[in-house]
Amino acid sequence: MSVVGVLTAGGDCPGLNAVIRGVVARADERDSEVVGIRNGWEGLMHGTTVSLDRDAVRGILTRGGTILGTSRMDPYVHGDGYKSCEKTIKANGIDSLVVIGGDGTLRSALQLSQEGLSIVGVPKTIDNDISGTDITFGFDTAVGIATEAIDRLATTAEAHNRVIVVEVMGRTKGWIATYAGIAGGADAIIIPEHEYSIDEIVATLRRRHRKGIKYSIVVVAEGVAPPPGYEPIEQKKDAFGFDRLGGVAYPIAAAIEDGTGFETRVSVLGHVQRGGTPSAYDRVLATRLGVGAADLAVDGASGVMVAVRSEQIVPVPLSEAVDSIRGVPDSLFATAASFFG
Ligand code: F6P
């Protein structure tokens, strides 16, 4: 019988609990025990754990957040790498650790595996920007929420002849903006991967209004730069030194209003995209990834993560996940741009 540890680290994401449930169910089938680590790497460094059996994960499939808690603490930033985790690993007899996290978490997981700890990663982020996998769980849910918001904002924009600038999450990439923008029929989409000109956007919106369509929806990814001459919103840092993004829609809306003369309002969607129940697609994907990760962990694999490649769940080296961040391809953005204005 082997013991599998599991932790969730970094920002939360719809589907985390479905992954945990998948790990526990498959480990149980394979006669292995699961130890849950509380609050990400913090729990591994401080020895806060909980035993997870099938009863402990009953009813969590549909729940947002993570029953284990999460944090942005990192064993290489706030500790001494493997040495900071060794006590908890040994005390709980953990043979293999399933780490559910984004690129920063997976980078630390790779380092720990290089120090000799058996680790299987599960890529997680609503931003959909992790390399090595075709898609991450949580993204579909976030796109669904953003699309519903755009649908709702479009009707009020139309009723009042307004432009509404909708800001979505995504950090340095524009996956959520591009998908939700296409799904919601956006009149312009601004993402970090694609240079934008506020003059072109102004011209597009004016053309649209001249045709008699007197409202517009502009979708903005939070990671874009403000237009030249417009001040960025002051960016604070969180407790772990990460930039807190959000608010670039305000200078963009000001530039659009100045350029068009049309009343322009802002809606920053923020954490509503990350909270709550996962979509059916994400429940299935997260379950498959959890089951796949448990199989790899029990089989003794290490230094790999479970990934989606052509609809299949496959192991890929963790190094592939941390090499680079995956951006929106030009061809996808060009498809979105065909519908601007
Ligand atoms: O990476 C996921 C994400 O939701 C980003 O889209 C966003 O910028 C960030 O996390 C927000 O993190 P926090 O909740 O720590 O502010």
Side-chain angles (χ1 to χ4, degrees):
M1 140 129 30
S2 67
V3 179
V4 177
V6 59
L7 64 81
T8 53
D12 74 331
C13 176
L16 284 171
N17 286 324
V19 178
I20 296 168
R21 174 175 169 271
V23 170
V24 171
R26 179 50 62 93
D28 182 58
E29 263 185 312
R30 306 266 322 252
D31 292 326
S32 294
E33 272 176 30
V34 178
V35 174
I37 320 284
R38 291 213 185 269
N39 301 322
W41 298 118
E42 185 184 323
L44 199 62
M45 292 160 73
H46 296 164
T48 38
T49 60
V50 55
S51 170
L52 292 180
D53 59 13
R54 280 197 183 235
D55 283 338
V57 296
R58 219 173 288 288
I60 68 169
L61 171 65
T62 58
R63 272 169 59 187
T66 159
I67 59 161
L68 291 174
T70 184
S71 76
R72 294 208 189 268
M73 196 170 247
D74 184 294
Y76 289 94
V77 178
H78 309 100
D80 205 2
Y82 179 67
K83 271 194 208 137
S84 319
C85 312
E86 193 173 11
K87 205 167 147 197
T88 310
I89 298 287
K90 294 212 163 131
N92 290 278
I94 293 171
D95 299 298
S96 182
L97 186 64
V98 173
V99 172
I100 312 166
D103 59 319
T105 302
L106 296 177
R107 188 168 293 115
S108 301
L110 174 61
Q111 281 179 272
L112 283 173
S113 74
Q114 286 161 346
E115 287 201 63
L117 184 59
S118 277
I119 294 213
V120 175
V122 181
K124 161 243 66 162
T125 174
I126 63 165
D127 302 338
N128 198 37
D129 60 354
I130 298 182
S131 294
T133 185
D134 295 347
I135 189 164
T136 53
F137 72 89
F139 173 62
D140 181 71
T141 306
V143 168
I145 293 164
T147 302
E148 190 191 334
I150 293 169
D151 291 348
R152 290 175 184 278
L153 291 166
T155 62
T156 173
E158 184 177 15
H160 290 269
N161 292 342
R162 287 171 176 157
V163 178
I164 297 189
V165 179
V166 189
E167 182 180 305
V168 299
M169 282 185 163
R171 276 207 104 68
T172 59
K173 299 297 171 207
W175 285 100
I176 300 175
T178 305
Y179 265 66
I182 292 173
D187 303 302
I189 302 173
I190 308 178
I191 63 171
E193 297 92 318
H194 189 90
E195 209 173 311
Y196 75 97
S197 144
I198 205 72
D199 292 341
E200 268 175 34
I201 290 171
V202 163
T204 302
L205 301 187
R206 287 173 73 95
R207 222 173 17 248
R208 177 176 159 83
H209 285 226
R210 269 202 307 276
K211 283 190 276 183
I213 314 158
K214 300 209 175 293
Y215 73 98
S216 299
I217 295 291
V218 178
V219 177
V220 173
E222 64 179 359
V224 300
Y230 288 80
E231 282 298 304
I233 296 282
E234 194 202 340
Q235 300 291 4
K236 295 187 176 154
K237 296 211 182 275
D238 71 11
F240 296 96
F242 289 92
D243 286 333
R244 282 206 234 163
L245 298 183
V248 71
Y250 289 97
I252 289 174
I256 290 174
E257 191 166 87
D258 289 348
T260 59
F262 306 147
E263 184 181 351
T264 304
R265 299 293 186 95
V266 168
S267 182
V268 178
L269 300 187
H271 290 85
V272 72
Q273 296 159 95
R274 237 171 59 184
T277 192
S279 66
Y281 179 88
D282 278 335
R283 292 179 200 182
V284 174
L285 175 57
T287 299
R288 293 177 72 202
L289 290 168
V291 166
D295 272 335
L296 287 170
V298 173
D299 290 343
S302 183
V304 294
M305 69 170 188
V306 278
V308 182
R309 296 268 178 93
S310 307
E311 306 289 326
Q312 301 302 310
I313 305 295
V314 294
V316 303
L318 270 174
S319 52
E320 281 194 36
V322 303
D323 275 353
S324 60
I325 301 282
R326 203 168 62 97
V328 173
D330 288 346
S331 57
L332 179 61
F333 192 76
T335 298
S338 300
F339 298 91
F340 290 175

PDB file of all heavy atoms in Angstrom, residues 72 125-127 169-171 222 238 244-245 271 274, ligand 1:
ATOM      1  N   ARG A  72      -0.150  31.185  -1.435  1.00  0.00           N
ATOM      2  CA  ARG A  72       0.900  31.456  -2.412  1.00  0.00           C
ATOM      3  C   ARG A  72       2.287  31.255  -1.796  1.00  0.00           C
ATOM      4  O   ARG A  72       3.296  31.690  -2.336  1.00  0.00           O
ATOM      5  CB  ARG A  72       0.755  32.876  -2.964  1.00  0.00           C
ATOM      6  CG  ARG A  72      -0.520  33.063  -3.783  1.00  0.00           C
ATOM      7  CD  ARG A  72      -0.353  34.139  -4.828  1.00  0.00           C
ATOM      8  NE  ARG A  72      -1.604  34.468  -5.481  1.00  0.00           N
ATOM      9  CZ  ARG A  72      -2.024  33.892  -6.602  1.00  0.00           C
ATOM     10  NH1 ARG A  72      -1.322  32.950  -7.161  1.00  0.00           N
ATOM     11  NH2 ARG A  72      -3.164  34.286  -7.156  1.00  0.00           N
ATOM     12  N   THR A 125      -5.471  26.480 -13.906  1.00  0.00           N
ATOM     13  CA  THR A 125      -5.658  27.933 -13.955  1.00  0.00           C
ATOM     14  C   THR A 125      -6.847  28.275 -14.836  1.00  0.00           C
ATOM     15  O   THR A 125      -7.053  27.643 -15.881  1.00  0.00           O
ATOM     16  CB  THR A 125      -4.422  28.685 -14.496  1.00  0.00           C
ATOM     17  OG1 THR A 125      -4.762  30.070 -14.631  1.00  0.00           O
ATOM     18  CG2 THR A 125      -3.944  28.188 -15.849  1.00  0.00           C
ATOM     19  N   ILE A 126      -7.599  29.300 -14.424  1.00  0.00           N
ATOM     20  CA  ILE A 126      -8.666  29.782 -15.304  1.00  0.00           C
ATOM     21  C   ILE A 126      -8.059  30.481 -16.524  1.00  0.00           C
ATOM     22  O   ILE A 126      -8.730  30.671 -17.522  1.00  0.00           O
ATOM     23  CB  ILE A 126      -9.642  30.748 -14.587  1.00  0.00           C
ATOM     24  CG1 ILE A 126      -8.932  32.025 -14.120  1.00  0.00           C
ATOM     25  CG2 ILE A 126     -10.370  30.062 -13.457  1.00  0.00           C
ATOM     26  CD1 ILE A 126      -9.897  33.147 -13.733  1.00  0.00           C
ATOM     27  N   ASP A 127      -6.770  30.877 -16.434  1.00  0.00           N
ATOM     28  CA  ASP A 127      -6.146  31.673 -17.507  1.00  0.00           C
ATOM     29  C   ASP A 127      -5.840  30.847 -18.763  1.00  0.00           C
ATOM     30  O   ASP A 127      -5.581  31.428 -19.822  1.00  0.00           O
ATOM     31  CB  ASP A 127      -4.838  32.311 -17.014  1.00  0.00           C
ATOM     32  CG  ASP A 127      -5.049  33.194 -15.792  1.00  0.00           C
ATOM     33  OD1 ASP A 127      -6.186  33.643 -15.575  1.00  0.00           O
ATOM     34  OD2 ASP A 127      -4.065  33.419 -15.056  1.00  0.00           O
ATOM     35  N   MET A 169     -10.298  38.471 -16.464  1.00  0.00           N
ATOM     36  CA  MET A 169      -8.996  38.052 -15.938  1.00  0.00           C
ATOM     37  C   MET A 169      -8.155  37.384 -17.040  1.00  0.00           C
ATOM     38  O   MET A 169      -8.584  37.294 -18.190  1.00  0.00           O
ATOM     39  CB  MET A 169      -9.193  37.096 -14.767  1.00  0.00           C
ATOM     40  CG  MET A 169      -9.563  37.788 -13.474  1.00  0.00           C
ATOM     41  SD  MET A 169      -9.635  36.596 -12.108  1.00  0.00           S
ATOM     42  CE  MET A 169      -9.578  37.712 -10.708  1.00  0.00           C
ATOM     43  N   GLY A 170      -6.979  36.890 -16.643  1.00  0.00           N
ATOM     44  CA  GLY A 170      -6.113  36.209 -17.611  1.00  0.00           C
ATOM     45  C   GLY A 170      -4.634  36.490 -17.431  1.00  0.00           C
ATOM     46  O   GLY A 170      -3.803  35.992 -18.182  1.00  0.00           O
ATOM     47  N   ARG A 171      -4.320  37.363 -16.484  1.00  0.00           N
ATOM     48  CA  ARG A 171      -2.932  37.804 -16.261  1.00  0.00           C
ATOM     49  C   ARG A 171      -2.293  38.267 -17.565  1.00  0.00           C
ATOM     50  O   ARG A 171      -2.847  39.154 -18.182  1.00  0.00           O
ATOM     51  CB  ARG A 171      -2.114  36.715 -15.562  1.00  0.00           C
ATOM     52  CG  ARG A 171      -2.304  36.740 -14.054  1.00  0.00           C
ATOM     53  CD  ARG A 171      -1.154  36.198 -13.257  1.00  0.00           C
ATOM     54  NE  ARG A 171      -0.338  37.227 -12.630  1.00  0.00           N
ATOM     55  CZ  ARG A 171      -0.716  38.014 -11.643  1.00  0.00           C
ATOM     56  NH1 ARG A 171      -1.936  37.937 -11.148  1.00  0.00           N
ATOM     57  NH2 ARG A 171       0.100  38.905 -11.129  1.00  0.00           N
ATOM     58  N   GLU A 222      -7.219  41.803 -18.555  1.00  0.00           N
ATOM     59  CA  GLU A 222      -6.666  42.637 -17.478  1.00  0.00           C
ATOM     60  C   GLU A 222      -5.175  42.969 -17.660  1.00  0.00           C
ATOM     61  O   GLU A 222      -4.691  43.951 -17.094  1.00  0.00           O
ATOM     62  CB  GLU A 222      -6.840  41.927 -16.126  1.00  0.00           C
ATOM     63  CG  GLU A 222      -6.067  40.617 -16.028  1.00  0.00           C
ATOM     64  CD  GLU A 222      -6.208  39.902 -14.697  1.00  0.00           C
ATOM     65  OE1 GLU A 222      -6.892  40.396 -13.797  1.00  0.00           O
ATOM     66  OE2 GLU A 222      -5.607  38.806 -14.575  1.00  0.00           O
ATOM     67  N   ASP A 238       0.254  41.775  -3.658  1.00  0.00           N
ATOM     68  CA  ASP A 238      -0.365  41.002  -2.591  1.00  0.00           C
ATOM     69  C   ASP A 238       0.690  40.665  -1.528  1.00  0.00           C
ATOM     70  O   ASP A 238       1.860  41.064  -1.648  1.00  0.00           O
ATOM     71  CB  ASP A 238      -1.088  39.758  -3.127  1.00  0.00           C
ATOM     72  CG  ASP A 238      -0.145  38.680  -3.625  1.00  0.00           C
ATOM     73  OD1 ASP A 238       1.079  38.780  -3.386  1.00  0.00           O
ATOM     74  OD2 ASP A 238      -0.628  37.725  -4.248  1.00  0.00           O
ATOM     75  N   ARG A 244      -1.097  42.788  -8.197  1.00  0.00           N
ATOM     76  CA  ARG A 244      -2.554  42.617  -8.258  1.00  0.00           C
ATOM     77  C   ARG A 244      -3.023  43.341  -9.504  1.00  0.00           C
ATOM     78  O   ARG A 244      -2.923  44.557  -9.581  1.00  0.00           O
ATOM     79  CB  ARG A 244      -3.201  43.280  -7.047  1.00  0.00           C
ATOM     80  CG  ARG A 244      -3.100  42.485  -5.799  1.00  0.00           C
ATOM     81  CD  ARG A 244      -4.260  42.889  -4.912  1.00  0.00           C
ATOM     82  NE  ARG A 244      -3.800  43.298  -3.612  1.00  0.00           N
ATOM     83  CZ  ARG A 244      -4.532  44.003  -2.766  1.00  0.00           C
ATOM     84  NH1 ARG A 244      -5.732  44.418  -3.104  1.00  0.00           N
ATOM     85  NH2 ARG A 244      -4.059  44.312  -1.597  1.00  0.00           N
ATOM     86  N   LEU A 245      -3.521  42.601 -10.480  1.00  0.00           N
ATOM     87  CA  LEU A 245      -3.982  43.231 -11.724  1.00  0.00           C
ATOM     88  C   LEU A 245      -5.426  43.687 -11.568  1.00  0.00           C
ATOM     89  O   LEU A 245      -6.103  43.337 -10.612  1.00  0.00           O
ATOM     90  CB  LEU A 245      -3.855  42.246 -12.888  1.00  0.00           C
ATOM     91  CG  LEU A 245      -2.438  41.757 -13.203  1.00  0.00           C
ATOM     92  CD1 LEU A 245      -2.452  40.842 -14.419  1.00  0.00           C
ATOM     93  CD2 LEU A 245      -1.501  42.921 -13.444  1.00  0.00           C
ATOM     94  N   HIS A 271     -13.150  38.436  -9.473  1.00  0.00           N
ATOM     95  CA  HIS A 271     -13.132  37.074  -8.930  1.00  0.00           C
ATOM     96  C   HIS A 271     -14.424  36.289  -9.143  1.00  0.00           C
ATOM     97  O   HIS A 271     -14.458  35.089  -8.867  1.00  0.00           O
ATOM     98  CB  HIS A 271     -12.782  37.118  -7.437  1.00  0.00           C
ATOM     99  CG  HIS A 271     -11.343  37.500  -7.216  1.00  0.00           C
ATOM    100  ND1 HIS A 271     -10.942  38.815  -7.175  1.00  0.00           N
ATOM    101  CD2 HIS A 271     -10.232  36.742  -7.078  1.00  0.00           C
ATOM    102  CE1 HIS A 271      -9.625  38.849  -7.005  1.00  0.00           C
ATOM    103  NE2 HIS A 271      -9.169  37.613  -6.945  1.00  0.00           N
ATOM    104  N   ARG A 274     -13.875  33.222 -10.970  1.00  0.00           N
ATOM    105  CA  ARG A 274     -13.103  32.134 -10.377  1.00  0.00           C
ATOM    106  C   ARG A 274     -13.881  31.374  -9.311  1.00  0.00           C
ATOM    107  O   ARG A 274     -13.499  30.276  -8.921  1.00  0.00           O
ATOM    108  CB  ARG A 274     -11.850  32.738  -9.733  1.00  0.00           C
ATOM    109  CG  ARG A 274     -10.594  32.150 -10.255  1.00  0.00           C
ATOM    110  CD  ARG A 274      -9.407  32.893  -9.793  1.00  0.00           C
ATOM    111  NE  ARG A 274      -9.248  32.951  -8.364  1.00  0.00           N
ATOM    112  CZ  ARG A 274      -8.280  33.637  -7.763  1.00  0.00           C
ATOM    113  NH1 ARG A 274      -7.419  34.301  -8.490  1.00  0.00           N
ATOM    114  NH2 ARG A 274      -8.186  33.658  -6.465  1.00  0.00           N
TER     115      ARG A 274
HETATM  116  O1  F6P B   1      -4.150  33.215 -12.363  1.00  0.00           O
HETATM  117  C1  F6P B   1      -5.510  33.228 -12.075  1.00  0.00           C
HETATM  118  C2  F6P B   1      -5.944  34.615 -11.692  1.00  0.00           C
HETATM  119  O2  F6P B   1      -7.335  34.595 -11.451  1.00  0.00           O
HETATM  120  C3  F6P B   1      -5.594  35.706 -12.711  1.00  0.00           C
HETATM  121  O3  F6P B   1      -6.448  35.711 -13.820  1.00  0.00           O
HETATM  122  C4  F6P B   1      -5.648  36.934 -11.843  1.00  0.00           C
HETATM  123  O4  F6P B   1      -4.868  37.993 -12.314  1.00  0.00           O
HETATM  124  C5  F6P B   1      -5.088  36.433 -10.545  1.00  0.00           C
HETATM  125  O5  F6P B   1      -5.301  35.034 -10.518  1.00  0.00           O
HETATM  126  C6  F6P B   1      -5.701  37.090  -9.342  1.00  0.00           C
HETATM  127  O6  F6P B   1      -5.101  36.559  -8.215  1.00  0.00           O
HETATM  128  P1  F6P B   1      -5.479  37.015  -6.734  1.00  0.00           P
HETATM  129  O7  F6P B   1      -6.798  36.403  -6.409  1.00  0.00           O
HETATM  130  O8  F6P B   1      -4.386  36.494  -5.894  1.00  0.00           O
HETATM  131  O9  F6P B   1      -5.544  38.504  -6.770  1.00  0.00           O
END
